[in-house]
Amino acid sequence: MAHTFSLIDPIKRSLIIHILILELVILSFFTLSAYAKVDNLSKLLGVEESKAHLYEAKGPDWTCLDGSATIPYEAINDDFCDCTDGSDEPGTSACPNSKFYCRNVGHISSFISSSRVNDGVCEPECCDGSDEYDGKIKCPNTCKETNAEYTKKLKELEKLRTQGIRIRKEYIEKGRKIKTKNAAELNRLEIELRAAKIRVKEREVALKKIEDSKPDTEQLAPKGNRERMKKLHERIIALKGDINKLHEQIDTLLSILKDMKNNHNQNYHDMAVKTAIKAYDEFLEEYNKDMETEDGDEVEENYEDNYDDIPDKEKPQIEEPSELSDARDAFEEAEQEQKDIENHIDEVKSKLSQDYGLEYEFAALDNECFSYDSGEYTYSLCMFGSATQKSNKDHSSTDLGNFAKWIGAESSNDPRYYTRMLYEDGARCWNGPARSVKLYLECGADNQILSVSEPEKCEYHMRMISPAVCLDHNNDHNNHNTEHKHDEL
Ligand code: MAN
């Protein structure tokens, strides 16, 4: 190399040497100026305005904000961490626990972790580019554009919010009507119930009178047969109920086993689990075959069809005299009517006691159902009803629970109380809890589930927008006024 260099003519050689010296001078100038920049950092760099007075020089020394040490004033922002709370290095990345303040003039000021200062990345939170000052990279000041975009988004959100507030008012109005309607319905039903009870009593008396008026001898034989027939009939109905119950229990066990089969950890090679899965598969095969060949409903239908096919005159033993059977039918009908009214009353009462929000705004959404397709599953949720998870592959459905309570805050006087719902007691998770859903509500111009996640096994989180939670902050009435909330009917 030296040999080659000596071959170049002297003029060129001196030119190259000059260029090299010039490059060296330029390089050391930039290096020194970068260090000089870092060395002479303002003591206020990275400090928010409200804390600036704490960094004023009051003498040669300065005490850390947590009082952990007293250091020379010059040691602030010297790129060496002296204070345990990191307060001596607000503007450098020397302390791992300090925060750097970006002033972002023209937009909104913000903090970033000081470890992100001078890391060669322009942080989006620091639109003024102040986080990168050591000269490695240059971050342009984008605060004007950022603020314009932010303001535009804010305006759009505000527009949606205004729409939401208007719809919420409609919900409140609708809720008020629903409440009045239900209260009137309850009144009407209670009057109806009183009348139905009287009717039952009257028809019972009439029936008893007819029964008593028939001579025993005339009733003896047919009555014996009739009683037996009635008992047998009742027994068949009871057995049918038992069969249905057993089917439901088998279905529950099958779904638990299916869950285990699909979700067990195959890497564990747990023999007990493997044996159980094998037995489940064998059982399922047999069970499905049996279900194809034998049908409980068919047995019941056959019985009823056969019974109905018997001509009336051929079943004299169990037929009552028409006057008596008419009286009995009338009595049973009245009893049924009373039961129906009582059930209806229970339904209306449960609606009236439901907590439909600060101003009854959620009554308008009662039983409205919303769904969300996550790819693997389609989730559905009916307000104040139930939530389900349906597989998009095999369409099997899993119960995720029923509405239990509001859980947005401790007290119902806190407006956040009505922003989170809990649905619980869903299908039990294999090796885990019963499935449950937390529904997080945010203000929006319509009702929509935005996302579903399962942060813990079998505990689902749904994010939903709804106008029902769009509170009008300019109108204190809907924030704290609980006048309508618990008013009795
Ligand atoms: C099913 C789904 C999942 C759940 C597992 C738990 O596959 O309900 O969401 O995590 O069961 O075993």
Side-chain angles (χ1 to χ4, degrees):
M1 176 75 189
H3 177 70
T4 327
F5 192 64
S6 62
L7 288 178
I8 303 173
D9 76 71
I11 300 174
K12 272 193 184 159
R13 210 180 319 155
S14 109
L15 200 65
I16 290 172
I17 289 168
H18 274 93
I19 289 171
L20 279 173
I21 290 171
L22 194 67
E23 276 183 357
L24 261 173
V25 168
I26 293 172
L27 194 68
S28 40
F29 171 78
F30 276 114
T31 316
L32 283 175
S33 68
Y35 277 114
K37 248 191 204 165
V38 176
D39 270 353
N40 294 319
L41 289 182
S42 153
K43 305 302 171 206
L44 285 177
L45 182 67
V47 178
E48 59 188 297
E49 289 89 347
S50 64
K51 284 196 176 154
H53 65 285
L54 301 172
Y55 288 83
E56 268 167 25
K58 293 194 179 117
D61 292 338
W62 184 82
T63 302
C64 307
L65 297 187
D66 64 352
S68 60
T70 295
I71 57 169
Y73 183 73
E74 281 311 307
I76 297 176
N77 276 344
D78 68 346
D79 211 11
F80 183 84
C81 193
D82 298 290
C83 301
T84 46
D85 63 349
S87 56
D88 61 314
E89 293 300 319
T92 77
S93 55
C95 296
N97 53 344
S98 59
K99 294 251 171 284
F100 179 85
Y101 177 72
C102 313
R103 222 150 284 220
N104 292 345
V105 176
H107 186 48
I108 299 162
S109 49
S110 70
F111 288 93
I112 56 166
S113 161
S114 50
S115 60
R116 292 159 74 193
V117 170
N118 288 332
D119 61 352
V121 178
C122 300
E123 308 299 344
E125 295 95 327
C126 290
C127 59
D128 58 2
S130 61
D131 58 309
E132 296 297 321
Y133 56 79
D134 65 357
K136 261 191 267 158
I137 59 160
K138 171 104 187 80
C139 296
N141 187 326
T142 59
C143 287
K144 203 171 157 214
E145 297 81 351
T146 309
N147 192 259
E149 220 169 278
Y150 171 79
T151 314
K152 192 174 151 214
K153 269 211 183 105
L154 215 62
K155 271 197 191 130
E156 278 164 14
L157 278 177
E158 212 33 56
K159 209 170 131 198
L160 291 179
R161 177 169 199 84
T162 311
Q163 280 178 33
I165 291 171
R166 188 181 42 75
I167 299 172
R168 182 176 185 273
K169 282 187 185 137
E170 287 169 16
Y171 284 178
I172 295 171
E173 199 40 50
K174 207 168 163 193
R176 232 190 288 274
K177 282 188 188 144
I178 294 173
K179 196 179 198 177
T180 315
K181 195 174 139 239
N182 281 339
E185 176 84 336
L186 183 62
N187 252 338
R188 185 186 65 76
L189 287 168
E190 271 164 352
I191 294 168
E192 251 186 42
L193 181 64
R194 278 198 290 277
K197 280 182 178 168
I198 294 171
R199 214 159 32 241
V200 169
K201 265 264 139 323
E202 281 171 359
R203 291 187 184 179
E204 191 181 13
V205 171
L207 173 65
K208 184 107 194 39
K209 211 165 143 196
I210 296 171
E211 277 176 346
D212 290 348
S213 71
K214 297 282 165 200
D216 275 358
T217 43
E218 195 187 311
Q219 292 292 315
L220 218 50
K223 196 173 180 183
N225 284 342
R226 204 167 51 240
E227 290 296 313
R228 270 199 303 281
M229 193 68 182
K230 204 173 158 202
K231 282 214 174 85
L232 280 172
H233 191 74
E234 282 167 1
R235 183 88 192 105
I236 286 171
I237 301 293
L239 281 172
K240 200 188 163 206
D242 289 348
I243 290 170
N244 284 342
K245 205 165 162 202
L246 284 170
H247 274 306
E248 275 168 25
Q249 286 169 341
I250 290 173
D251 286 347
T252 307
L253 285 172
L254 285 178
S255 105
I256 292 171
L257 286 167
K258 184 178 169 201
D259 214 11
M260 179 183 77
K261 183 182 167 185
N262 292 342
N263 297 302
H264 74 284
N265 189 334
Q266 305 205 359
N267 299 328
Y268 282 163
H269 298 296
D270 184 331
M271 280 320 289
V273 175
K274 283 190 183 310
T275 314
I277 291 172
K278 190 165 171 276
Y280 161 71
D281 286 338
E282 285 165 9
F283 172 81
L284 200 62
E285 200 178 315
E286 278 305 303
Y287 180 72
N288 285 341
K289 257 191 239 156
D290 287 353
M291 292 307 284
E292 272 166 28
T293 51
E294 183 193 306
D295 192 345
D297 285 350
E298 230 172 74
V299 175
E300 167 71 9
E301 275 161 22
N302 280 345
Y303 160 75
E304 273 169 7
D305 287 352
N306 289 341
Y307 180 74
D308 287 346
D309 284 349
I310 301 171
D312 282 354
K313 53 179 185 312
E314 283 176 30
K315 21 179 183 174
Q317 311 94 307
I318 61 163
E319 287 300 302
E320 283 180 329
S322 72
E323 194 193 5
L324 186 57
S325 76
D326 288 352
R328 194 183 300 282
D329 287 350
F331 167 65
E332 283 169 0
E333 194 184 303
E335 262 191 333
Q336 191 53 50
E337 263 170 29
Q338 181 183 331
K339 267 188 211 135
D340 290 347
I341 296 169
E342 281 166 347
N343 288 341
H344 201 164
I345 285 180
D346 285 348
E347 268 171 40
V348 178
K349 273 190 175 164
S350 102
K351 287 210 180 302
L352 283 168
S353 63
Q354 185 65 272
D355 188 351
Y356 286 122
L358 216 52
E359 296 177 275
Y360 224 70
E361 63 279 17
F362 282 97
L365 293 179
D366 188 21
N367 241 351
E368 289 279 325
C369 301
F370 307 100
S371 57
Y372 177 82
D373 187 343
S374 73
E376 190 177 1
Y377 300 108
T378 297
Y379 291 89
S380 306
L381 181 132
C382 298
M383 299 294 258
F384 302 96
S386 60
T388 50
Q389 178 197 54
K390 205 168 176 183
S391 161
N392 285 343
K393 258 185 261 150
D394 63 6
H395 303 290
S396 62
S397 180
T398 306
D399 175 14
L400 300 186
N402 289 299
F403 173 70
K405 55 185 173 183
W406 290 100
I407 52 162
E410 287 279 309
S411 151
S412 61
N413 289 329
D414 185 333
R416 286 172 308 171
Y417 184 76
Y418 295 105
T419 57
R420 205 175 298 176
M421 286 173 135
L422 176 68
Y423 288 70
E424 62 183 9
D425 263 339
R428 187 155 290 282
C429 188
W430 182 65
N431 242 348
R435 285 174 173 78
S436 63
V437 177
K438 279 185 186 143
L439 179 71
Y440 294 79
L441 294 158
E442 295 159 27
C443 168
D446 59 352
N447 294 289
Q448 228 186 95
I449 297 178
L450 298 183
S451 66
V452 180
S453 59
E454 193 183 346
E456 294 286 332
K457 202 165 190 190
C458 297
E459 289 179 21
Y460 304 85
H461 284 188
M462 294 189 186
R463 258 187 73 221
M464 179 174 168
I465 47 166
S466 170
V469 289
C470 295
L471 297 181
D472 187 353
H473 294 294
N474 299 323
N475 178 3
D476 220 21
H477 176 78
N478 62 21
N479 282 344
H480 308 291
N481 185 349
T482 49
E483 189 190 313
H484 300 290
K485 202 181 122 349
H486 296 299
D487 53 358
E488 295 302 325
L489 291 152

PDB file of all heavy atoms in Angstrom, residues 259 263 377 389 429 435 454 457-458 460, ligand 1:
ATOM      1  N   ASP A 259     -65.756 -30.942  24.820  1.00  0.00           N
ATOM      2  CA  ASP A 259     -64.853 -29.859  25.177  1.00  0.00           C
ATOM      3  C   ASP A 259     -63.483 -30.417  25.547  1.00  0.00           C
ATOM      4  O   ASP A 259     -62.444 -29.931  25.097  1.00  0.00           O
ATOM      5  CB  ASP A 259     -65.473 -29.172  26.410  1.00  0.00           C
ATOM      6  CG  ASP A 259     -65.205 -27.711  26.389  1.00  0.00           C
ATOM      7  OD1 ASP A 259     -64.746 -27.237  25.351  1.00  0.00           O
ATOM      8  OD2 ASP A 259     -65.462 -27.052  27.410  1.00  0.00           O
ATOM      9  N   ASN A 263     -60.052 -29.773  23.484  1.00  0.00           N
ATOM     10  CA  ASN A 263     -59.148 -28.774  24.047  1.00  0.00           C
ATOM     11  C   ASN A 263     -58.090 -29.323  24.991  1.00  0.00           C
ATOM     12  O   ASN A 263     -57.360 -28.541  25.586  1.00  0.00           O
ATOM     13  CB  ASN A 263     -59.960 -27.710  24.797  1.00  0.00           C
ATOM     14  CG  ASN A 263     -60.872 -26.985  23.852  1.00  0.00           C
ATOM     15  OD1 ASN A 263     -60.423 -26.404  22.886  1.00  0.00           O
ATOM     16  ND2 ASN A 263     -62.155 -27.065  24.113  1.00  0.00           N
ATOM     17  N   TYR A 377     -65.542 -18.087  15.687  1.00  0.00           N
ATOM     18  CA  TYR A 377     -66.869 -18.170  16.316  1.00  0.00           C
ATOM     19  C   TYR A 377     -67.737 -16.977  15.925  1.00  0.00           C
ATOM     20  O   TYR A 377     -67.216 -15.920  15.576  1.00  0.00           O
ATOM     21  CB  TYR A 377     -66.737 -18.118  17.841  1.00  0.00           C
ATOM     22  CG  TYR A 377     -65.912 -19.223  18.435  1.00  0.00           C
ATOM     23  CD1 TYR A 377     -64.643 -18.956  18.959  1.00  0.00           C
ATOM     24  CD2 TYR A 377     -66.383 -20.526  18.510  1.00  0.00           C
ATOM     25  CE1 TYR A 377     -63.881 -19.963  19.521  1.00  0.00           C
ATOM     26  CE2 TYR A 377     -65.628 -21.537  19.065  1.00  0.00           C
ATOM     27  CZ  TYR A 377     -64.367 -21.249  19.566  1.00  0.00           C
ATOM     28  OH  TYR A 377     -63.614 -22.239  20.116  1.00  0.00           O
ATOM     29  N   GLN A 389     -71.819 -18.531  22.148  1.00  0.00           N
ATOM     30  CA  GLN A 389     -70.658 -18.614  21.250  1.00  0.00           C
ATOM     31  C   GLN A 389     -70.964 -19.766  20.296  1.00  0.00           C
ATOM     32  O   GLN A 389     -71.172 -20.892  20.731  1.00  0.00           O
ATOM     33  CB  GLN A 389     -69.422 -18.945  22.086  1.00  0.00           C
ATOM     34  CG  GLN A 389     -68.153 -19.104  21.306  1.00  0.00           C
ATOM     35  CD  GLN A 389     -67.092 -19.822  22.150  1.00  0.00           C
ATOM     36  OE1 GLN A 389     -67.337 -20.896  22.674  1.00  0.00           O
ATOM     37  NE2 GLN A 389     -65.930 -19.216  22.268  1.00  0.00           N
ATOM     38  N   CYS A 429     -66.464 -24.630  31.833  1.00  0.00           N
ATOM     39  CA  CYS A 429     -65.284 -24.846  31.002  1.00  0.00           C
ATOM     40  C   CYS A 429     -64.578 -26.092  31.526  1.00  0.00           C
ATOM     41  O   CYS A 429     -64.464 -26.255  32.739  1.00  0.00           O
ATOM     42  CB  CYS A 429     -64.408 -23.624  31.215  1.00  0.00           C
ATOM     43  SG  CYS A 429     -63.016 -23.494  30.176  1.00  0.00           S
ATOM     44  N   ARG A 435     -68.504 -20.366  32.105  1.00  0.00           N
ATOM     45  CA  ARG A 435     -68.192 -19.276  31.176  1.00  0.00           C
ATOM     46  C   ARG A 435     -68.938 -17.992  31.576  1.00  0.00           C
ATOM     47  O   ARG A 435     -70.064 -18.075  32.090  1.00  0.00           O
ATOM     48  CB  ARG A 435     -68.563 -19.699  29.744  1.00  0.00           C
ATOM     49  CG  ARG A 435     -67.571 -20.699  29.153  1.00  0.00           C
ATOM     50  CD  ARG A 435     -68.058 -21.198  27.816  1.00  0.00           C
ATOM     51  NE  ARG A 435     -67.097 -22.030  27.137  1.00  0.00           N
ATOM     52  CZ  ARG A 435     -66.872 -23.315  27.430  1.00  0.00           C
ATOM     53  NH1 ARG A 435     -67.546 -23.896  28.403  1.00  0.00           N
ATOM     54  NH2 ARG A 435     -65.975 -24.008  26.757  1.00  0.00           N
ATOM     55  N   GLU A 454     -60.850 -13.247  24.695  1.00  0.00           N
ATOM     56  CA  GLU A 454     -60.949 -14.212  25.799  1.00  0.00           C
ATOM     57  C   GLU A 454     -59.645 -14.109  26.604  1.00  0.00           C
ATOM     58  O   GLU A 454     -58.778 -14.972  26.490  1.00  0.00           O
ATOM     59  CB  GLU A 454     -61.148 -15.624  25.215  1.00  0.00           C
ATOM     60  CG  GLU A 454     -61.578 -16.653  26.244  1.00  0.00           C
ATOM     61  CD  GLU A 454     -61.702 -18.056  25.641  1.00  0.00           C
ATOM     62  OE1 GLU A 454     -61.721 -18.195  24.408  1.00  0.00           O
ATOM     63  OE2 GLU A 454     -61.748 -19.013  26.434  1.00  0.00           O
ATOM     64  N   LYS A 457     -59.090 -18.015  30.175  1.00  0.00           N
ATOM     65  CA  LYS A 457     -59.858 -19.116  29.594  1.00  0.00           C
ATOM     66  C   LYS A 457     -61.322 -19.052  30.049  1.00  0.00           C
ATOM     67  O   LYS A 457     -61.600 -18.975  31.253  1.00  0.00           O
ATOM     68  CB  LYS A 457     -59.243 -20.444  30.025  1.00  0.00           C
ATOM     69  CG  LYS A 457     -59.603 -21.552  29.103  1.00  0.00           C
ATOM     70  CD  LYS A 457     -58.736 -22.731  29.317  1.00  0.00           C
ATOM     71  CE  LYS A 457     -59.006 -23.676  28.197  1.00  0.00           C
ATOM     72  NZ  LYS A 457     -58.431 -24.950  28.373  1.00  0.00           N
ATOM     73  N   CYS A 458     -62.216 -19.050  29.096  1.00  0.00           N
ATOM     74  CA  CYS A 458     -63.668 -19.058  29.339  1.00  0.00           C
ATOM     75  C   CYS A 458     -64.192 -17.775  29.982  1.00  0.00           C
ATOM     76  O   CYS A 458     -65.321 -17.732  30.466  1.00  0.00           O
ATOM     77  CB  CYS A 458     -64.100 -20.277  30.124  1.00  0.00           C
ATOM     78  SG  CYS A 458     -63.764 -21.787  29.208  1.00  0.00           S
ATOM     79  N   TYR A 460     -64.888 -14.044  28.778  1.00  0.00           N
ATOM     80  CA  TYR A 460     -64.917 -13.288  27.515  1.00  0.00           C
ATOM     81  C   TYR A 460     -65.135 -11.802  27.789  1.00  0.00           C
ATOM     82  O   TYR A 460     -65.868 -11.439  28.707  1.00  0.00           O
ATOM     83  CB  TYR A 460     -66.034 -13.842  26.617  1.00  0.00           C
ATOM     84  CG  TYR A 460     -65.865 -15.326  26.383  1.00  0.00           C
ATOM     85  CD1 TYR A 460     -66.366 -16.248  27.288  1.00  0.00           C
ATOM     86  CD2 TYR A 460     -65.149 -15.792  25.291  1.00  0.00           C
ATOM     87  CE1 TYR A 460     -66.173 -17.605  27.111  1.00  0.00           C
ATOM     88  CE2 TYR A 460     -64.955 -17.146  25.103  1.00  0.00           C
ATOM     89  CZ  TYR A 460     -65.463 -18.053  26.018  1.00  0.00           C
ATOM     90  OH  TYR A 460     -65.251 -19.394  25.842  1.00  0.00           O
TER      91      TYR A 460
HETATM   92  C1  MAN B   1     -64.196 -23.954  23.551  1.00  0.00           C
HETATM   93  C2  MAN B   1     -64.465 -22.469  23.436  1.00  0.00           C
HETATM   94  C3  MAN B   1     -63.243 -21.660  23.823  1.00  0.00           C
HETATM   95  C4  MAN B   1     -62.732 -22.101  25.181  1.00  0.00           C
HETATM   96  C5  MAN B   1     -62.534 -23.585  25.234  1.00  0.00           C
HETATM   97  C6  MAN B   1     -62.156 -24.023  26.645  1.00  0.00           C
HETATM   98  O1  MAN B   1     -63.300 -24.350  22.589  1.00  0.00           O
HETATM   99  O2  MAN B   1     -65.544 -22.185  24.276  1.00  0.00           O
HETATM  100  O3  MAN B   1     -63.561 -20.284  23.838  1.00  0.00           O
HETATM  101  O4  MAN B   1     -61.519 -21.458  25.496  1.00  0.00           O
HETATM  102  O5  MAN B   1     -63.706 -24.263  24.835  1.00  0.00           O
HETATM  103  O6  MAN B   1     -61.942 -25.385  26.733  1.00  0.00           O
END
